[in-house]
Amino acid sequence: MVIQVRGVVLPERVERTFAIDGDRLRADPVPGADLVVDGGWLLPGLVDAHTHPGTESTDQPFSDEMLRKHLLGHRDAGVLLVRTPGSAARIPDWVDAAEDLPRVRSAGRWLATPGRFFPGFGRDVSEADLVAAAVEEARASSGWCKVIGDWRPDEPAVPLELLTAVVAAVHADGGRVAVHCQTGDGCRNAVLAGADSLEHGMHLDPGLIDRMAAQGTAYVPTLSVFGAGADRRRAEEPSARRDWWLAGWDGMLPNVAAAHEAGVTLLAGTDSFPTGTVASEIGWLLKAGLPAEAALGAASWSARSWLGLPGLVDGGPADLVAYDSDPTLDPSVLSRPARIILRGRVVA
């Protein structure tokens, strides 16, 4: 059955009517088709570009049941595309075939060299084996791999030469590399190695931002997970670790603003639970000083384009969220979607 939607499409701000035939949008209206959205504002499905569905703690095994629960939580909040940059296990094939779940772009298992992650939570590899493992994980996933580029501030980051070799090998194989980094050296090495995305980026040297823009390294700051812990950290007894963390946090919002000004692709990612909270990350991007359309795009059309999917265009995927008012003027409406359509099916 063909259904139709009508509303003001963002970011173009033009009223359009789309027929939905199967899982595709069609620009030509179909007389007599059921109009399931009539008015309001239409967005390409929201995107969480950094989320880890399937487990909630380092002592909890990855499970299909938890994965499905988390993905449904995303979907019910209008998040219709997720990128999981690293997991405790590879995302199973059944997810791609599930019509009621968001589309997933995965990066296989976290790749952790000795001393740089929770032991056994990802894929523990030696530095000698890291390049081959990165290519293997990218091939086994959606073309991505995720390297834990650093860990604690008193431990060395993955060496620049090794990370450069990882990026070169994965790129030569047609894949892309995400790097977890939260120390100055880790951020520096990820940028200089040419990583495709910088995850977290705490202690990022602002002098590297122009290089990120020039080479196309995206920035996924996951501000909401850091912001949620800032007050607790400030209340702790002074220590070198506390002061290091707070210094990194204090630089994140200015760095995000500078990255936007420089033309770096900024993406919204939550890295936290419960799932379906990307609206909170949009709020933090607004606090950092991003214009409303840029902050929203980081969790919708810009993120979808970066991950290889078009927005609301003829022939594009029928993944959209409708709101009663303009979310760039009233971001609170993001928590109240009027209609959610995934793969051409009305799910809410």
Side-chain angles (χ1 to χ4, degrees), residues 73-99:
H74 279 301
R75 185 204 70 182
D76 293 345
V79 176
L80 307 184
L81 173 63
V82 304
R83 170 179 172 260
T84 170
S87 298
R90 292 173 182 162
I91 301 298
D93 291 341
W94 61 261
V95 171
D96 286 336
E99 294 184 351

mmCIF file of all heavy atoms in Angstrom, residues 73-99:
data_model
loop_
_atom_site.group_PDB
_atom_site.id
_atom_site.type_symbol
_atom_site.label_atom_id
_atom_site.label_comp_id
_atom_site.label_asym_id
_atom_site.label_seq_id
_atom_site.Cartn_x
_atom_site.Cartn_y
_atom_site.Cartn_z
ATOM 1 N N GLY A 73 15.068 1.278 21.443
ATOM 2 C CA GLY A 73 15.086 2.536 22.173
ATOM 3 C C GLY A 73 15.495 3.705 21.297
ATOM 4 O O GLY A 73 14.916 4.798 21.366
ATOM 5 N N HIS A 74 16.488 3.476 20.454
ATOM 6 C CA HIS A 74 16.875 4.498 19.485
ATOM 7 C C HIS A 74 15.705 4.803 18.541
ATOM 8 O O HIS A 74 15.340 5.969 18.322
ATOM 9 C CB HIS A 74 18.077 4.017 18.666
ATOM 10 C CG HIS A 74 19.399 4.181 19.355
ATOM 11 N ND1 HIS A 74 19.874 5.391 19.773
ATOM 12 C CD2 HIS A 74 20.365 3.273 19.678
ATOM 13 C CE1 HIS A 74 21.066 5.248 20.318
ATOM 14 N NE2 HIS A 74 21.384 3.964 20.288
ATOM 15 N N ARG A 75 15.145 3.760 17.969
ATOM 16 C CA ARG A 75 14.073 3.940 16.978
ATOM 17 C C ARG A 75 12.911 4.731 17.536
ATOM 18 O O ARG A 75 12.390 5.648 16.870
ATOM 19 C CB ARG A 75 13.581 2.571 16.505
ATOM 20 C CG ARG A 75 12.541 2.635 15.391
ATOM 21 C CD ARG A 75 11.684 1.396 15.360
ATOM 22 N NE ARG A 75 10.781 1.326 16.509
ATOM 23 C CZ ARG A 75 9.953 0.308 16.741
ATOM 24 N NH1 ARG A 75 9.942 -0.735 15.918
ATOM 25 N NH2 ARG A 75 9.153 0.330 17.788
ATOM 26 N N ASP A 76 12.501 4.422 18.748
ATOM 27 C CA ASP A 76 11.337 5.080 19.323
ATOM 28 C C ASP A 76 11.592 6.555 19.639
ATOM 29 O O ASP A 76 10.649 7.309 19.892
ATOM 30 C CB ASP A 76 10.875 4.337 20.577
ATOM 31 C CG ASP A 76 10.322 2.956 20.250
ATOM 32 O OD1 ASP A 76 10.040 2.693 19.070
ATOM 33 O OD2 ASP A 76 10.186 2.129 21.186
ATOM 34 N N ALA A 77 12.869 6.964 19.622
ATOM 35 C CA ALA A 77 13.209 8.375 19.786
ATOM 36 C C ALA A 77 13.441 9.057 18.441
ATOM 37 O O ALA A 77 13.833 10.226 18.403
ATOM 38 C CB ALA A 77 14.460 8.504 20.647
ATOM 39 N N GLY A 78 13.189 8.337 17.343
ATOM 40 C CA GLY A 78 13.379 8.904 16.012
ATOM 41 C C GLY A 78 14.772 8.712 15.457
ATOM 42 O O GLY A 78 15.087 9.234 14.376
ATOM 43 N N VAL A 79 15.637 7.966 16.167
ATOM 44 C CA VAL A 79 16.986 7.669 15.681
ATOM 45 C C VAL A 79 16.889 6.452 14.774
ATOM 46 O O VAL A 79 16.708 5.326 15.247
ATOM 47 C CB VAL A 79 17.951 7.411 16.852
ATOM 48 C CG1 VAL A 79 19.332 7.014 16.322
ATOM 49 C CG2 VAL A 79 18.062 8.651 17.733
ATOM 50 N N LEU A 80 17.014 6.681 13.479
ATOM 51 C CA LEU A 80 16.765 5.632 12.497
ATOM 52 C C LEU A 80 18.035 5.146 11.810
ATOM 53 O O LEU A 80 17.986 4.279 10.938
ATOM 54 C CB LEU A 80 15.759 6.130 11.456
ATOM 55 C CG LEU A 80 14.451 6.685 12.047
ATOM 56 C CD1 LEU A 80 13.483 7.069 10.929
ATOM 57 C CD2 LEU A 80 13.801 5.691 13.010
ATOM 58 N N LEU A 81 19.164 5.696 12.219
ATOM 59 C CA LEU A 81 20.473 5.252 11.733
ATOM 60 C C LEU A 81 21.448 5.393 12.886
ATOM 61 O O LEU A 81 21.533 6.457 13.505
ATOM 62 C CB LEU A 81 20.926 6.101 10.542
ATOM 63 C CG LEU A 81 22.354 5.886 10.020
ATOM 64 C CD1 LEU A 81 22.541 4.463 9.498
ATOM 65 C CD2 LEU A 81 22.680 6.905 8.932
ATOM 66 N N VAL A 82 22.162 4.323 13.202
ATOM 67 C CA VAL A 82 23.170 4.396 14.249
ATOM 68 C C VAL A 82 24.503 3.921 13.693
ATOM 69 O O VAL A 82 24.569 3.070 12.800
ATOM 70 C CB VAL A 82 22.803 3.577 15.512
ATOM 71 C CG1 VAL A 82 21.466 4.009 16.070
ATOM 72 C CG2 VAL A 82 22.814 2.084 15.223
ATOM 73 N N ARG A 83 25.531 4.512 14.229
ATOM 74 C CA ARG A 83 26.897 4.059 13.933
ATOM 75 C C ARG A 83 27.490 3.582 15.245
ATOM 76 O O ARG A 83 27.498 4.305 16.226
ATOM 77 C CB ARG A 83 27.725 5.201 13.366
ATOM 78 C CG ARG A 83 29.230 4.944 13.244
ATOM 79 C CD ARG A 83 29.862 6.192 12.634
ATOM 80 N NE ARG A 83 31.301 6.159 12.627
ATOM 81 C CZ ARG A 83 32.078 6.780 13.514
ATOM 82 N NH1 ARG A 83 31.523 7.448 14.516
ATOM 83 N NH2 ARG A 83 33.383 6.735 13.415
ATOM 84 N N THR A 84 27.911 2.329 15.261
ATOM 85 C CA THR A 84 28.498 1.787 16.466
ATOM 86 C C THR A 84 29.992 1.603 16.243
ATOM 87 O O THR A 84 30.418 0.639 15.607
ATOM 88 C CB THR A 84 27.819 0.475 16.909
ATOM 89 O OG1 THR A 84 28.570 -0.124 17.960
ATOM 90 C CG2 THR A 84 27.634 -0.493 15.771
ATOM 91 N N PRO A 85 30.801 2.573 16.712
ATOM 92 C CA PRO A 85 32.237 2.501 16.494
ATOM 93 C C PRO A 85 32.907 1.607 17.535
ATOM 94 O O PRO A 85 33.524 2.062 18.487
ATOM 95 C CB PRO A 85 32.681 3.963 16.638
ATOM 96 C CG PRO A 85 31.708 4.548 17.589
ATOM 97 C CD PRO A 85 30.416 3.805 17.408
ATOM 98 N N GLY A 86 32.754 0.337 17.334
ATOM 99 C CA GLY A 86 33.319 -0.634 18.243
ATOM 100 C C GLY A 86 32.292 -1.253 19.158
ATOM 101 O O GLY A 86 31.393 -0.585 19.655
ATOM 102 N N SER A 87 32.403 -2.559 19.352
ATOM 103 C CA SER A 87 31.503 -3.310 20.216
ATOM 104 C C SER A 87 32.279 -4.445 20.868
ATOM 105 O O SER A 87 33.393 -4.782 20.448
ATOM 106 C CB SER A 87 30.334 -3.906 19.415
ATOM 107 O OG SER A 87 29.539 -2.911 18.826
ATOM 108 N N ALA A 88 31.657 -5.038 21.873
ATOM 109 C CA ALA A 88 32.256 -6.207 22.496
ATOM 110 C C ALA A 88 32.182 -7.419 21.579
ATOM 111 O O ALA A 88 32.916 -8.394 21.759
ATOM 112 C CB ALA A 88 31.557 -6.502 23.820
ATOM 113 N N ALA A 89 31.280 -7.361 20.600
ATOM 114 C CA ALA A 89 31.147 -8.423 19.602
ATOM 115 C C ALA A 89 30.730 -7.774 18.294
ATOM 116 O O ALA A 89 30.225 -6.651 18.278
ATOM 117 C CB ALA A 89 30.106 -9.455 20.037
ATOM 118 N N ARG A 90 30.946 -8.447 17.202
ATOM 119 C CA ARG A 90 30.501 -7.918 15.915
ATOM 120 C C ARG A 90 28.977 -7.908 15.858
ATOM 121 O O ARG A 90 28.316 -8.804 16.382
ATOM 122 C CB ARG A 90 31.068 -8.759 14.766
ATOM 123 C CG ARG A 90 32.572 -8.633 14.613
ATOM 124 C CD ARG A 90 33.118 -9.605 13.585
ATOM 125 N NE ARG A 90 34.572 -9.517 13.485
ATOM 126 C CZ ARG A 90 35.340 -10.445 12.939
ATOM 127 N NH1 ARG A 90 34.781 -11.552 12.444
ATOM 128 N NH2 ARG A 90 36.646 -10.282 12.882
ATOM 129 N N ILE A 91 28.421 -6.885 15.222
ATOM 130 C CA ILE A 91 26.967 -6.798 15.077
ATOM 131 C C ILE A 91 26.490 -7.936 14.177
ATOM 132 O O ILE A 91 26.983 -8.089 13.059
ATOM 133 C CB ILE A 91 26.563 -5.437 14.482
ATOM 134 C CG1 ILE A 91 27.051 -4.293 15.376
ATOM 135 C CG2 ILE A 91 25.055 -5.366 14.285
ATOM 136 C CD1 ILE A 91 26.472 -4.276 16.767
ATOM 137 N N PRO A 92 25.548 -8.754 14.627
ATOM 138 C CA PRO A 92 25.127 -9.921 13.845
ATOM 139 C C PRO A 92 24.367 -9.533 12.577
ATOM 140 O O PRO A 92 23.764 -8.460 12.486
ATOM 141 C CB PRO A 92 24.234 -10.702 14.811
ATOM 142 C CG PRO A 92 23.785 -9.690 15.822
ATOM 143 C CD PRO A 92 24.892 -8.695 15.950
ATOM 144 N N ASP A 93 24.381 -10.426 11.605
ATOM 145 C CA ASP A 93 23.779 -10.159 10.297
ATOM 146 C C ASP A 93 22.276 -9.938 10.373
ATOM 147 O O ASP A 93 21.705 -9.226 9.539
ATOM 148 C CB ASP A 93 24.064 -11.322 9.337
ATOM 149 C CG ASP A 93 25.535 -11.408 8.960
ATOM 150 O OD1 ASP A 93 26.251 -10.393 9.125
ATOM 151 O OD2 ASP A 93 25.970 -12.486 8.513
ATOM 152 N N TRP A 94 21.609 -10.521 11.374
ATOM 153 C CA TRP A 94 20.149 -10.409 11.414
ATOM 154 C C TRP A 94 19.693 -8.963 11.604
ATOM 155 O O TRP A 94 18.560 -8.623 11.256
ATOM 156 C CB TRP A 94 19.547 -11.302 12.497
ATOM 157 C CG TRP A 94 19.946 -11.027 13.913
ATOM 158 C CD1 TRP A 94 20.886 -11.696 14.635
ATOM 159 C CD2 TRP A 94 19.413 -10.022 14.793
ATOM 160 N NE1 TRP A 94 20.979 -11.175 15.909
ATOM 161 C CE2 TRP A 94 20.091 -10.146 16.031
ATOM 162 C CE3 TRP A 94 18.434 -9.034 14.664
ATOM 163 C CZ2 TRP A 94 19.823 -9.322 17.113
ATOM 164 C CZ3 TRP A 94 18.158 -8.206 15.747
ATOM 165 C CH2 TRP A 94 18.843 -8.349 16.948
ATOM 166 N N VAL A 95 20.557 -8.109 12.127
ATOM 167 C CA VAL A 95 20.167 -6.719 12.348
ATOM 168 C C VAL A 95 19.847 -6.026 11.026
ATOM 169 O O VAL A 95 18.869 -5.285 10.914
ATOM 170 C CB VAL A 95 21.274 -5.966 13.117
ATOM 171 C CG1 VAL A 95 20.984 -4.468 13.170
ATOM 172 C CG2 VAL A 95 21.409 -6.519 14.532
ATOM 173 N N ASP A 96 20.657 -6.264 10.010
ATOM 174 C CA ASP A 96 20.430 -5.615 8.718
ATOM 175 C C ASP A 96 19.112 -6.042 8.088
ATOM 176 O O ASP A 96 18.517 -5.278 7.316
ATOM 177 C CB ASP A 96 21.580 -5.933 7.748
ATOM 178 C CG ASP A 96 22.846 -5.162 8.086
ATOM 179 O OD1 ASP A 96 22.742 -4.102 8.730
ATOM 180 O OD2 ASP A 96 23.938 -5.627 7.708
ATOM 181 N N ALA A 97 18.669 -7.237 8.398
ATOM 182 C CA ALA A 97 17.435 -7.751 7.803
ATOM 183 C C ALA A 97 16.195 -7.410 8.617
ATOM 184 O O ALA A 97 15.068 -7.664 8.161
ATOM 185 C CB ALA A 97 17.543 -9.274 7.645
ATOM 186 N N ALA A 98 16.358 -6.816 9.771
ATOM 187 C CA ALA A 98 15.225 -6.523 10.654
ATOM 188 C C ALA A 98 14.535 -5.235 10.211
ATOM 189 O O ALA A 98 15.089 -4.143 10.354
ATOM 190 C CB ALA A 98 15.691 -6.417 12.095
ATOM 191 N N GLU A 99 13.320 -5.342 9.705
ATOM 192 C CA GLU A 99 12.610 -4.184 9.169
ATOM 193 C C GLU A 99 12.195 -3.183 10.242
ATOM 194 O O GLU A 99 11.927 -2.018 9.931
ATOM 195 C CB GLU A 99 11.376 -4.642 8.389
ATOM 196 C CG GLU A 99 11.703 -5.432 7.131
ATOM 197 C CD GLU A 99 10.462 -5.790 6.345
ATOM 198 O OE1 GLU A 99 9.344 -5.563 6.873
ATOM 199 O OE2 GLU A 99 10.590 -6.286 5.211
#
